[in-house]
């Protein structure tokens, strides 16, 4: 009944500890905390509606087939039973079933099943018992237990909705026997006890099935949370916390169709200057701390969620800037360069600058220029080497040429 929830994403606000707490608690009330309950309904509701519709059609067909039993067991009631089943029960039940196509909320969904599969069916049975003229028809009151079983086993109506319906069925069964059939007290008690036992067993089964369903959902939810965390970790560089090469490749693949379209696209390659000297002089642990510091500085200079930074390998980082012109990317890179230099991370190597610096290579594409992501990165790599050849600790193309680049951008857009 839960349906397939493997492809449904988990909200970021969901605390995995809440799932573990719900599993440990196993509330006898068959109710999750509000956030989990909302997720449960979101994930299982549409599939449950589909299953209820299919099973409702089966129930309606079987109910009408009992007209054959009416013909043999109570011929004098056949026409009355036929019209009750076909003219009244079937259209109303079909109308209620059709409302499930709208995927109503849980309260309406379960209430519709209690009304259509329970109240209507029991009501028609009692009507036929009253129309039998005091002539006992055991097949009628005995068929009430089939209604309870249909709601419990076939439709699996949620326990707290099923409970009042089953109790109402038990009361209706007892009153109908006493009112319409002149059974002696002993047979009435025995018949009601059998019916009552069936109701109790059905309620126990309903409670157990829903409890197991909810537990299964929580376990699958925990598995999804663990898989989601593992998937997230597989896309993260463990040292810096940035996206790794796998995440970069997936991001570029997503961006590829839009590159060269109406929006600009730029990338920034960053290389920490003389990092090998840093490692050789201060050791790899100090080098790792330096990498994390620089990664944090670069990340702090991003403009928002659209801008993404990844560890490109070793001491290199790459910043992906969708919808960003080359001139704007140069501005962002210059801001990052200044922030790294201003952090004044001491460089231990005598041959290097006193503080850690970085070189930047920028490349991008403009409207109408159809370049692939690989070509853009290759151009950024060439720009990075140009920055290194020109003395390091600089952005290439240089910010001094921003006005020229902006003028070229406008000319290309007008062309």
């Amino acid at each position: 009944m839960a349906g397939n929830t493997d492809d449904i994403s988990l909200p970021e606000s969901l605390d995995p500890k809440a799932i573990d707490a719900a599993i440990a608690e196993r509330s006898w009330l068959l109710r999750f905390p509000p956030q989990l309950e909302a997720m449960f309904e979101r994930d299982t509701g549409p599939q449950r509606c589909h299953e209820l519709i299919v099973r409702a059609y089966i129930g309606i067909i079987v109910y009408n087939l009992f007209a054959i039993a009416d013909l043999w067991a109570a011929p004098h009631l056949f026409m009355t039973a036929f019209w009750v089943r076909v003219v009244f029960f079937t259209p109303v039940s079909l109308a209620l079933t059709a409302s499930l196509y709208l995927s109503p909320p849980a309260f309406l969904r379960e209430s519709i099943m209690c009304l259509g599969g329970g109240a209507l069916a029991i009501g028609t049975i009692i009507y036929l018992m009253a129309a039998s003229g005091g002539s006992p028809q055991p097949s009628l009151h005995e068929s009430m237990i089939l209604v309870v079983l249909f709601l419990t086993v076939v439709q699996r109506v949620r326990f707290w909705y099923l409970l009042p319906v089953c109790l109402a069925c038990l009361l209706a069964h007892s009153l109908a026997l006493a009112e319409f059939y002149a059974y002696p007290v002993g047979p009435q008690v025995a018949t009601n006890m059998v019916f009552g036992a069936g109701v109790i067993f059905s309620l126990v089964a309903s409670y157990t099935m829903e409890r197991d369903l909810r537990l299964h959902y929580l376990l699958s939810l925990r598995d999804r949370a663990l898989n989601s965390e593992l998937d997230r970790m597989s896309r993260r560089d463990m040292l810096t916390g940035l996206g790794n090469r796998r995440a970069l490749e997936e991001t570029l693949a997503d961006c590829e169709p839009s590159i060269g379209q109406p929006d600009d696209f730029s990338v920034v390659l960053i290389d920490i200057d003389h990092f090998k000297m840093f490692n050789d002089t201060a050791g790899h642990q100090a080098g790792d701390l330096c990498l994390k510091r620089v990664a944090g500085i670069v990340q702090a200079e991003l403009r928002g969620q659209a801008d993404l930074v990844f560890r490109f390998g070793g001491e290199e980082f790459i910043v992906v800037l969708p919808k960003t012109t080359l001139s704007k990317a140069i501005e962002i890179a210059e801001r990052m360069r200044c922030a790294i230099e201003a952090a004044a991370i001491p460089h231990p190597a005598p041959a290097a600058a006193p503080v850690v610096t970085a070189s930047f290579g920028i490349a991008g594409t403009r409207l109408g220029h159809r370049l692939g992501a690989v070509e853009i990165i290759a151009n950024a790599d060439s720009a990075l080497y140009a920055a290194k050849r020109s003395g390091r600790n600089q952005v290439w193309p240089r910010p001094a040429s921003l006005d020229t680049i902006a003028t070229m951008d406008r000319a290309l857009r007008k062309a």
Side-chain angles (χ1 to χ4, degrees), residues 62-120:
V62 171
Y63 183 85
N64 285 318
L65 286 176
F66 265 78
I68 299 174
D70 296 334
L71 179 62
W72 289 97
H76 63 289
L77 280 178
F78 174 72
M79 289 307 300
T80 301
F82 180 82
W83 287 107
V84 166
R85 295 179 191 278
V86 176
V87 177
F88 172 70
F89 177 83
T90 299
V92 176
S93 296
L94 288 174
L96 291 172
T97 302
S99 67
L100 295 175
Y101 283 101
L102 301 176
S103 294
F107 174 78
L108 287 177
R109 182 187 67 223
E110 304 300 323
S111 298
I112 287 169
M113 289 316 307
C114 291
L115 178 61
L120 280 177

Side-chain angles (χ1 to χ4, degrees), residues 98-368:
S99 67
L100 295 175
Y101 283 101
L102 301 176
S103 294
F107 174 78
L108 287 177
R109 182 187 67 223
E110 304 300 323
S111 298
I112 287 169
M113 289 316 307
C114 291
L115 178 61
L120 280 177
I122 293 295
T124 56
I125 293 172
I126 292 175
Y127 175 80
L128 292 176
M129 289 176 67
S132 63
S135 174
Q137 302 295 329
S139 62
L140 288 176
H141 64 77
E142 288 172 0
S143 63
M144 288 188 186
I145 195 64
L146 295 179
V147 176
V148 174
L149 291 175
F150 175 75
L151 293 175
T152 304
V153 180
V154 180
Q155 293 294 46
R156 299 186 182 183
V157 173
R158 300 283 166 80
F159 176 79
W160 292 114
Y161 296 90
L162 183 68
L163 178 61
V165 174
C166 285
L167 295 179
C169 287
L170 179 57
L171 179 62
H173 181 271
S174 301
L175 294 177
L177 278 185
E179 179 68 23
F180 303 123
Y181 290 170
Y183 282 169
V185 174
Q188 278 198 41
V189 171
T191 302
N192 283 322
M193 286 187 67
V194 171
F195 188 86
V199 168
I200 292 172
F201 295 157
S202 296
L203 288 173
V204 171
S206 173
Y207 183 91
T208 303
M209 285 188 294
E210 185 172 348
R211 182 197 63 192
D212 292 345
L213 167 68
R214 287 175 173 269
L215 178 60
H216 173 75
Y217 176 77
L218 288 175
L219 293 174
S220 67
L221 200 63
R222 184 173 65 180
D223 289 342
R224 285 161 53 197
L226 290 174
N227 290 335
S228 179
E229 178 63 17
L230 290 173
D231 186 65
R232 186 189 68 81
M233 291 176 62
S234 72
R235 290 168 169 77
R236 291 291 167 191
D237 175 63
M238 299 303 294
L239 176 63
T240 62
L242 303 178
N244 57 17
R245 289 294 290 266
R246 176 184 176 186
L248 172 63
E249 290 172 0
E250 292 176 353
T251 299
L252 293 176
D254 291 338
C255 294
E256 188 80 35
S258 63
I259 295 176
Q261 299 304 315
D263 292 320
D264 295 271
F265 180 86
S266 299
V267 298
V268 177
L269 267 180
I270 308 168
D271 184 88
I272 300 176
D273 296 328
H274 301 298
F275 187 73
K276 185 177 184 305
M277 291 184 186
F278 191 109
N279 268 343
D280 293 342
T281 306
H284 288 283
Q285 287 186 336
D288 289 346
L289 290 174
C290 176
L291 284 171
K292 289 193 281 189
R293 289 276 310 271
V294 172
I297 294 168
V298 171
Q299 200 165 25
E301 296 299 325
L302 299 180
R303 298 169 300 175
Q305 294 183 350
D307 296 348
L308 299 170
V309 57
F310 306 86
R311 188 177 180 189
F312 199 51
E315 68 273 22
E316 287 189 333
F317 305 94
I318 184 169
V319 182
V320 177
L321 302 172
K323 300 182 180 181
T324 304
T325 63
L326 184 61
S327 57
K328 186 64 178 177
I330 293 174
E331 288 182 20
I332 295 170
E334 178 62 19
R335 193 170 66 241
M336 291 176 177
R337 187 197 67 78
C338 293
I340 294 172
E341 188 174 26
I345 304 170
H347 200 300
V355 297
V356 171
T357 60
S359 300
F360 294 75
I362 299 93
T365 185
R366 303 182 184 90
L367 176 63

